[in-house]
Amino acid sequence: MGQEEAPTSFAEHRRRLIARGTGRVAMVILSALAIYFVADVVTEGLQAPDVIYYGAAASIAASVWFVVYRLRPHRPERWILPFAVAFVAVICSRMAVPTTTVSGTALMVSLVLLGAALAFPWPPRFQGYSVIGGLSAYALFFCLRFWSYDEPFLIHQLFGPLLAGVLSVWGASALDRARRELFERTQRLSESESRLQVLLGQRERDAKAAEALARVGRVVVQSLNRPAMLENLARESAAILESDFVHVLRYEAEGDEYVVSAGY
């Protein structure tokens, strides 16, 4: 398999980062879901809401992995966004179960929002869209929870996910600037290296040309008679040019022709 060419733009570089990162994120999510599912089955037994919840969450993680990592769309962030919002909505749906704590759900939603900013190097505006969608789903299930069960709520249950969302957008913006600066610095370094290689190649060619001229000059100086000089010149020319044979031609004005004066 051939080596992948280096990206020529930051957009292409970011697309590759998203594709590579999505596979790792999906594997982490699936592993965590498997651990929590086993823990719930051991402690509380197998219940229908748990099967639906874990099945939906695992399906979302597997789907985003297949679409982004395997199909490699041109704009992967547009595909990740609905999956990210749907994943948060599935987490929030657990509040419909009376045994699920709202504080635990708020903490999980906060971690998912912050994790998305770190795991997906997408444009900051998509992190903002994800936060808006995720917090909307959280607010919907939050209101349904307290409307259905008439229980008091705590301040951190409201402002915890909101603060996490704001911090995630700020963090995504800072990380995006850092990635862009690093990419541009790498591009400049690569261009400087290419120019240096060109200069070194030119110097090597100049050195070879100077050496060839010096060898030819020594032949001319050391040869006292013309035939020997031409034969030595032909021999040195063959060595310099790495040729099997060389002929030295002399122009005859009287016959208006070239004649062979020496060879090697």
Side-chain angles (χ1 to χ4, degrees):
M1 186 175 181
Q3 186 177 4
E4 192 176 22
E5 294 183 358
T8 57
S9 65
F10 179 70
E12 175 63 18
H13 174 65
R14 181 160 51 194
R15 185 187 69 81
R16 296 183 185 182
L17 289 178
I18 293 175
R20 289 195 295 265
T22 300
R24 293 190 291 267
V25 172
M27 292 300 102
V28 171
I29 291 176
L30 291 174
S31 300
L33 289 174
I35 294 173
Y36 277 105
F37 177 74
V38 172
D40 284 348
V41 170
V42 172
T43 57
E44 302 177 4
L46 185 62
Q47 300 180 9
D50 292 334
V51 175
I52 296 174
Y53 166 73
Y54 286 109
S59 298
I60 292 173
S63 298
V64 72
W65 171 81
F66 177 78
V67 171
V68 177
Y69 184 74
R70 301 298 298 178
L71 300 184
R72 300 292 181 96
H74 179 64
R75 297 293 299 275
E77 60 272 13
R78 295 183 177 180
W79 292 86
I80 294 176
L81 179 61
F83 287 112
V85 175
F87 188 77
V88 175
V90 170
I91 294 176
C92 296
S93 67
R94 293 276 287 181
M95 286 191 290
V97 180
T99 56
T100 301
T101 63
V102 178
S103 296
T105 303
L107 176 61
M108 185 64 68
V109 170
S110 300
L111 292 177
V112 170
L113 295 178
L114 292 171
L118 295 174
F120 297 121
W122 52 5
R125 69 177 184 277
F126 280 88
Q127 179 64 25
Y129 300 153
S130 175
V131 168
I132 293 174
L135 291 181
S136 298
Y138 179 79
L140 174 62
F141 284 99
F142 185 87
C143 293
L144 291 176
R145 170 66 177 249
F146 290 100
W147 177 75
S148 301
Y149 299 104
D150 192 23
E151 60 183 68
F153 65 87
L154 303 176
I155 296 298
H156 73 271
Q157 295 172 346
L158 281 176
F159 291 100
L162 180 61
L163 178 61
V166 173
L167 291 176
S168 70
V169 174
W170 175 82
S173 300
L175 288 173
D176 187 69
R177 288 193 299 270
R179 293 189 189 100
R180 186 182 296 274
E181 292 175 0
L182 179 60
F183 175 79
E184 292 175 351
R185 189 180 300 117
T186 303
Q187 289 292 96
R188 291 193 296 269
L189 180 61
S190 178
E191 293 173 359
S192 299
E193 183 180 358
S194 299
R195 288 195 295 268
L196 179 60
Q197 290 178 351
V198 171
L199 291 175
L200 291 177
Q202 183 63 40
R203 289 189 60 182
E204 184 178 356
R205 290 191 296 269
D206 292 343
K208 288 183 178 180
E211 181 183 0
L213 291 174
R215 293 174 63 177
V216 172
R218 286 195 298 269
V219 169
V220 174
V221 172
Q222 293 173 357
S223 301
L224 299 179
N225 56 72
R226 183 174 180 180
M229 180 189 71
L230 295 178
E231 291 178 1
N232 292 336
L233 181 61
R235 183 173 61 255
E236 291 296 331
S237 298
I240 293 171
L241 299 175
E242 298 181 355
S243 302
D244 295 332
F245 58 88
V246 169
H247 290 123
V248 179
L249 304 180
R250 185 180 74 254
Y251 177 71
E252 294 288 348
E254 295 180 357
D256 192 20
E257 60 182 353
Y258 288 91
V259 296
V260 178
S261 297
Y264 173 78

